[in-house]
Amino acid sequence: MRLFNTLTRRLEEFREIEKGKVGLYTCGPTVYDYPHIGNFRSYLFEDLVKRFLLFHGYRVTHVMNITDIDDKTIRKANELQVPLAEVTQKYIDAFHADLRALNILPADVYPRATAHIPEMQALVATLLEKEFAYEKDGSVYFRIERFRDYGRLANLDRASLKPGAAAAGAADADEYGKEAVQDFVLWKGKKPGEPSWPAPFGEGRPGWHIECSAMSMKYLGPHFDIHMGGVDNIFPHHENEIAQSECANGVTFVNYWLHCQHLIVDGMKMSKSLGNFHTLGDLLAKGHAPMAVRYLLLSSHYRKLLNFTLDGLEMAGQALARIKNFVFSLKNVETEGEADPELAAVVTASLEAFSASVADDFNVSGALGVMFDLIGGINPRMNALTRADAAGILAYMERVNAVLGILEPGDEGPLDAEIEARIALREKARREKDFARADEIRAELKEQGIILLDTPAGVKWKRD
RNA sequence: GGCGGCGUAGCCAAGUGGUAAGGCAGCGCUCUGCAAAAGCGCUAUUCAUCGGUUCAAAUCCGGUCGCCGCCUCCA
């Protein structure tokens, strides 16, 4: 499997550190508000990568941090006049609910920053001891001059870093003590109205970057396989993580850095002021299915800008319906008989092509094309299939879905006696040519999300 | 100023040297009591644009136009 490593800016063949195992760290949410669909594009991409690794039989240890202490969470708590933990817990719960709705596999650990203060302090202490960091006016800063590779990930020349945005930061009261503008804070000295923890280098709270370094090395060791996040994390967050971690441990931090491009909405950057800011809850309230959101956000290449529109979401839902109808038809094949070996070979080849496409830097569009080619090839032959044939194709769809996660197990509900009874009533009306009554029953069932299909083999039904 | 990305049908989107995948939408037809689903057929001589390299370019090189991102705490 080939993937684009931000560190080298080229496609590389994936080689795990320890055979059969993968250590995976993904940057999680800062829990000061509801996540938006842009966040989910990243989380869905990360889920895809993880699922594909699992598909190939790797044992994956996935860590996703929860930033529950930073400027924004503190500000929110102060605005609302409630304890920090109350604010963060609310949004942590909302975050997990959205992950479940989108069928994102849970991480093995969701470490919270506030639960890892000692680990972060130990890391800061190490950096101070090795003189990669210095204390100034109660805060501790990283001295980027000491790290030769600084800027490598972001492809930024340290000397040419424009002091534009940096100058604004430097004007911040707690920053002017730095030796160099580009130095970043590891530990922020105590300020009134902010939570703080005692530390040998002064009471205060952790900087943002240190949490990911401390928590990733705690759960995955000083050197692990893959680290992911949104492109905005490349600089400064991930650049700083590399600096902290490699200076503290003296070893390579991460082998592969994968970054997901942002999405825009209706052609413009998503922002609350433009009114094009969507949360998952907003979209579900408009009647869109979470799986349509998943399909849309996953169906174009992760390194390309994605223009999210409601029309696009509609189209994604339709494409998904085609896939679900295919599965539905397969499940209703009733002809007994042997499996056709030629058909089985076609299905096997299709799965290989699907997998090869995903393996090529996660080309989901190409992989979907492979799958739809198979669907288009099978559909005309649907009536000629045996149960054994159908079982083979359903197994294929399960494998595909193990990677994409777009079909929920609950899509096909158990037969419901009540529904069957209604259908029998409608059949009676149809036999008696009372079509008005028959249509009425069909409409009622549709209200309940039950779609009827009159086929030569009898009435079939499915949930919408 | 520095670094980087994108522009393929009405819409979404693969393809990165061998002659335009796939999905959605649309139109016609088959099936149906009517639908739905499914099927069949149709829908880019052309890949922002100009020029170059090549037997061959959407794919490589150069120019132009348009859009976008990053350069210290935004997924």
Side-chain angles (χ1 to χ4, degrees):
Chain A
M1 119 187 207
R2 293 194 313 160
L3 36 82
F4 185 86
N5 191 348
T6 306
L7 197 58
T8 56
R9 280 170 294 282
R10 61 183 53 160
L11 291 167
E12 294 179 16
E13 193 61 32
F14 177 71
R15 299 254 180 272
E16 70 271 34
I17 295 166
E18 191 182 339
K19 190 166 168 47
K21 293 185 180 177
V22 176
L24 177 68
Y25 189 92
T26 60
C27 277
T30 299
V31 284
Y32 70 105
D33 204 346
Y34 296 104
H36 57 253
I37 52 168
N39 300 108
F40 287 120
R41 184 186 192 194
S42 290
Y43 302 146
L44 283 165
F45 167 59
E46 290 156 5
D47 191 48
L48 173 78
V49 172
K50 178 178 168 182
R51 282 169 177 270
F52 194 58
L53 290 166
L54 293 170
F55 177 86
H56 279 293
Y58 286 106
R59 282 184 48 207
V60 178
T61 304
H62 177 199
V63 179
M64 178 183 255
N65 66 297
I66 305 278
T67 302
D68 61 353
I69 169 110
D70 82 317
D71 294 353
K72 290 185 297 257
T73 46
I74 292 169
R75 194 188 312 133
K76 188 91 173 196
N78 288 342
E79 276 169 17
L80 299 175
Q81 299 284 310
V82 296
L84 181 66
E86 192 176 306
V87 170
T88 56
Q89 191 57 50
K90 173 183 170 184
Y91 294 113
I92 289 171
D93 292 343
F95 172 68
H96 286 300
D98 284 354
L99 291 188
R100 278 192 298 276
L102 287 171
N103 201 20
I104 291 173
L105 298 176
D108 296 282
V109 199
Y110 290 102
R112 298 184 188 194
T114 54
H116 294 77
I117 302 293
E119 287 87 344
M120 294 187 234
Q121 291 186 341
L123 186 54
V124 173
T126 301
L127 289 168
L128 277 168
E129 193 181 311
K130 295 188 176 180
E131 295 182 359
F132 290 110
Y134 57 92
E135 191 250 303
K136 192 91 177 173
D137 301 332
S139 293
V140 180
Y141 298 94
F142 186 89
R143 186 180 276 134
I144 69 161
E145 195 188 77
R146 284 289 313 278
F147 184 53
R148 195 155 275 291
D149 268 354
Y150 194 81
R152 185 173 158 220
L153 181 73
N155 196 24
L156 292 171
D157 180 7
R158 193 171 50 190
S160 72
L161 283 176
K162 191 187 173 187
D172 211 339
D174 64 343
E175 305 257 45
Y176 56 61
K178 294 192 292 188
E179 288 176 2
V181 258
Q182 298 94 335
D183 289 350
F184 60 91
V185 67
L186 297 170
W187 185 259
K188 296 185 169 188
K190 179 180 167 65
K191 280 205 271 185
E194 291 189 352
S196 62
W197 287 262
F201 32 80
E203 181 155 344
R205 63 180 172 95
W208 177 35
H209 316 299
I210 199 74
E211 90 177 52
C212 285
S213 288
M215 301 196 298
S216 62
M217 68 182 72
K218 174 172 180 178
Y219 295 101
L220 298 170
H223 177 208
F224 59 93
D225 299 287
I226 303 176
H227 193 131
M228 292 192 268
V231 285
D232 56 291
N233 281 151
I234 296 172
F235 196 88
H237 187 50
H238 290 164
E239 192 72 62
N240 291 350
E241 276 185 54
I242 293 172
Q244 294 161 350
S245 305
E246 299 200 348
C247 289
N249 298 324
V251 297
T252 299
F253 179 40
V254 169
N255 282 162
Y256 303 93
W257 290 87
L258 270 54
H259 292 97
C260 185
Q261 183 53 264
H262 282 180
L263 63 72
I264 55 177
V265 175
D266 298 327
M268 282 171 292
K269 185 167 178 166
M270 178 165 55
S271 75
K272 285 180 177 166
S273 58
L274 281 171
N276 63 355
F277 189 94
H278 299 293
T279 65
L280 184 62
D282 295 338
L283 297 173
L284 301 190
K286 285 179 178 146
H288 296 284
M291 287 304 97
V293 176
R294 183 176 173 106
Y295 184 97
L296 177 61
L297 296 185
L298 233 33
S299 61
S300 64
H301 192 82
Y302 75 98
R303 285 191 284 118
K304 276 195 170 179
L305 200 64
L306 167 67
N307 184 16
F308 180 95
T309 62
L310 256 26
D311 279 350
L313 189 54
E314 204 69 46
M315 291 193 290
Q318 288 304 114
L320 201 51
R322 181 168 165 85
I323 300 167
K324 284 161 78 171
N325 283 328
F326 179 65
V327 171
F328 177 81
S329 299
L330 288 169
K331 284 185 174 170
N332 280 292
V333 168
E334 283 169 354
T335 312
E336 297 297 341
E338 301 284 296
D340 175 359
E342 264 181 57
L343 177 65
V346 168
V347 172
T348 301
S350 179
L351 186 62
E352 275 165 20
F354 174 87
S355 171
S357 186
V358 180
D360 183 17
D361 196 32
F362 309 101
N363 184 353
V364 175
S365 315
L368 284 170
V370 169
M371 182 199 65
F372 277 114
D373 274 341
L374 186 79
I375 291 178
I378 299 289
N379 265 332
R381 304 176 52 184
M382 192 61 77
N383 290 331
L385 295 186
T386 64
R387 273 183 142 152
D389 291 328
I393 303 163
L394 283 167
Y396 165 93
M397 291 305 289
E398 267 175 39
R399 292 296 283 157
V400 164
N401 194 49
V403 177
L404 300 178
I406 50 179
L407 300 172
E408 292 166 298
D411 279 351
E412 299 298 326
L415 285 183
D416 184 89
E418 173 70 13
I419 293 164
E420 294 287 294
R422 304 288 292 161
I423 291 172
L425 266 178
R426 174 167 172 273
E427 282 307 278
K428 182 167 177 290
R430 289 180 76 202
R431 277 195 303 276
E432 293 163 1
K433 306 277 185 210
D434 183 0
F435 297 120
R437 177 66 187 141
D439 289 351
E440 195 186 339
I441 293 169
R442 181 168 62 191
E444 283 167 9
L445 285 169
K446 190 168 194 300
E447 287 282 304
Q448 297 163 31
I450 306 299
I451 306 291
L452 298 189
L453 299 91
D454 296 335
T455 76
V459 181
K460 309 282 187 194
W461 67 276
K462 62 180 180 179
R463 294 182 195 281
D464 193 7

